[in-house]
Every structure is written in structure tokens, then in C-alpha cells.
Amino acid sequence: MNQPNQQPTETEKHNPMLKMVLELGPLLVFFFGNLRAEWLAKQFPALTAIGGPLFIATALFMAATVLSLIVSKIVFKHLPIMPFVSGIVVVIFGSLSIWLQDETFIKMKPTIVNALFGVVLLGGLLFGRSLLGYVFNAAFQLDDEGWRKLTLRWGIFFLFLAVLNEGVWRNFSDAVWVNFKVWGTMPITIIFTLAQMPLIMKHSLDNKADEGTQ
């Protein structure tokens, strides 16, 4: 299996906190925008033309996402694939939501993005390729078996997140969905990521190289 050999840049290695802020910042802006939409509208009356709280939050989310991608390009000299694809969907679906005054589009954004990554990862396996390294700009190198197992797990996990998002936004209030999007999805993803560490350690080529030199 032809695996990616994509290592993080030196700038990324020395600025992990900045990378995290750029990836999580837009979500926090979205949460704040929805929580304080009425206050923001009073401070900046022009925002009332956008619509209700969720639409104001969506506009701020779009702006923060674009700004994050611009800073990533300037600082890290490249655009990480996952935030870039997610950013495109945010702009397209966010614009449709505001233009049509229909919250459905922005609520379906996580479904579309997660389903897209899940299908791409699992589809890549069918053609004998693991695309996970390109998606996450992997900081580790695995053997073929490790890449296959990790890609399968992440592909299924992305599809799980897509289904979960659909269940939440269709059955609960806007406030519950926003809180889930910001404070629910991230912890679930972190827990899942940590659960993969034994697999990563077992199949890491760096660990095998170290064992070979002993």
C-alpha cells in the first residue's frame, strides 16, 4: 500500500498552540456569537440586517474561518486539508443560510463535512490507499497494517459524527445544537483520538526503528 509521507513543518512543530487556536478559534467565535447575538446587535446595529442569533453567529463563524485559513497560509506556508475543506463548506452553507434565512444549511455543514471525510477515507481503502496522513498532516509514520486499521477507524468515526449531528439538530433546540457542536463534538473527538494511541504506538515506524538500534 502506497502511504503518504507527510511530516509537519518546522513552524508547526514549534507553534502547536497557534495551530490549535487557528483550528478551534472559529468554533469558539460561533459559540460566542450565538450566545451574545443580541448584545452584539446592539453594539453593531448593522448586524441586525443579517438575521437572528444563529445567523449572526454564522456570519462571524464564516469570517473567523476565513481569517484562520489566511493566517495558517501566512504562518505555516500551506493550508491544512481538513480545515480547508471544512472552511469551503462553512462559507458555502453559511452564505446559503443567511441569504435564504434558513438555518438548515449551516446545521447540516458538520454532517456534510464528516460524511465527506468518512466516505473519502473508507473509499480510499477500497482502492488500496490510506489518505489519513494527508487529512491530518500526520506527525507520525505507520506501517501498512497500522495505516489500514487507523484509516478504517477514523472513516467509521467520521460517519458516526455525521449521524450524531443529524440526530442532534433535528431533535433539539438551536441552543442545544450549538453547545453540542462546540462542547460536545470536540471532547468526543479528543477521547477517540487518545483511544487510538495504543494502535499508533504499536505500528509506529519510529518505535520499530528505535527497537532495531538497541
Side-chain angles (χ1 to χ4, degrees):
M1 183 180 291
N2 185 16
Q3 303 297 353
N5 183 24
Q6 190 169 346
Q7 295 287 348
T9 65
E10 288 299 318
T11 306
E12 287 175 319
K13 290 180 180 178
H14 291 91
N15 295 277
M17 289 304 299
L18 175 59
K19 192 170 186 293
M20 180 179 297
V21 168
L22 291 175
E23 293 181 359
L24 299 183
L27 275 179
L28 296 179
V29 169
F30 180 71
F31 175 77
F32 175 79
N34 184 74
L35 184 67
R36 302 288 290 171
E38 293 184 2
W39 178 83
L40 288 170
K42 290 180 180 178
Q43 302 301 314
F44 306 97
L47 291 176
T48 57
I50 296 176
L54 192 57
F55 296 116
I56 292 176
T58 297
L60 296 176
F61 186 32
M62 291 166 57
T65 298
V66 172
L67 179 61
S68 173
L69 291 174
I70 292 174
V71 174
S72 292
K73 178 64 175 178
I74 294 173
V75 176
F76 300 124
K77 309 304 181 184
H78 72 92
L79 291 174
I81 294 177
M82 189 172 180
F84 177 66
V85 173
S86 180
I88 292 176
V89 178
V90 165
V91 172
I92 293 175
F93 278 65
S95 298
L96 286 173
S97 289
I98 295 173
W99 182 37
L100 300 175
Q101 290 292 289
D102 188 343
E103 299 172 352
T104 301
F105 292 101
I106 194 62
K107 290 179 178 178
M108 287 192 66
K109 174 263 173 184
T111 301
I112 299 298
V113 171
N114 287 316
L116 175 63
F117 279 106
V119 169
V120 168
L121 290 179
L122 296 178
L125 287 179
L126 293 177
F127 291 94
R129 290 186 61 83
S130 169
L131 304 176
L132 196 64
Y134 296 113
V135 173
F136 287 106
N137 191 28
F140 45 81
Q141 296 298 308
L142 307 180
D143 58 28
D144 286 356
E145 182 182 359
W147 277 119
R148 283 195 297 270
K149 290 180 177 179
L150 195 62
T151 299
L152 177 62
R153 292 181 183 184
W154 272 102
I156 294 174
F157 180 68
F158 277 126
L159 294 182
F160 164 75
L161 289 180
V163 173
L164 187 59
N165 181 71
E166 283 295 291
V168 173
W169 83 261
R170 290 181 183 275
N171 294 286
F172 296 92
S173 66
D174 290 351
V176 171
W177 175 74
V178 171
N179 277 280
F180 161 76
K181 177 178 171 60
V182 179
W183 307 115
T185 303
M186 188 53 61
I188 292 173
T189 303
I190 291 174
I191 292 172
F192 176 80
T193 301
L194 293 176
Q196 309 315 306
M197 292 311 297
L199 173 67
I200 292 172
M201 297 300 293
K202 179 180 179 180
H203 294 279
S204 173
L205 295 180
D206 292 335
N207 286 346
K208 292 182 177 181
D210 292 339
E211 292 175 0
T213 59
Q214 294 178 356

